[in-house]
Amino acid sequence: VLIMKELGIDKASGVPNKNKVGKLTKAQVEKIAKIKLPDLNAYDVEGAMKVVAGTAKNMGIAIEGEE
């Protein structure tokens, strides 16, 4: 929900490998990770950022600076 709010979209991609519905910057991923850190299975912000980035990729959202 936080990822969709950050991008201002209503729903994720039905085909995440082909259809990208948005793009997050590293700063946006870090902002979401800091909010979600207590709820995630991660010890630090970097680990939480990996979890958030993985979730975003599965939703069809590209991460700036990654393929």
Side-chain angles (χ1 to χ4, degrees):
V1 175
L2 291 173
I3 294 170
M4 291 190 299
K5 277 186 184 179
E6 188 71 30
L7 290 175
I9 58 175
D10 292 329
K11 63 183 213 174
S13 174
V15 187
N17 293 336
K18 293 183 181 179
N19 299 333
K20 301 296 180 192
V21 294
K23 183 179 273 192
L24 282 174
T25 65
K26 293 278 187 182
Q28 289 172 313
V29 172
E30 185 175 359
K31 175 181 167 187
I32 294 168
K34 285 180 180 179
I35 293 169
K36 290 294 292 177
L37 185 59
D39 300 327
L40 297 175
N41 188 17
Y43 296 110
D44 55 10
V45 176
E46 288 80 22
M49 286 175 67
K50 288 180 182 179
V51 173
V52 171
T55 301
K57 286 181 184 179
N58 285 331
M59 294 171 65
I61 297 167
I63 307 299
E64 191 174 276
E66 294 183 7
E67 294 253 348

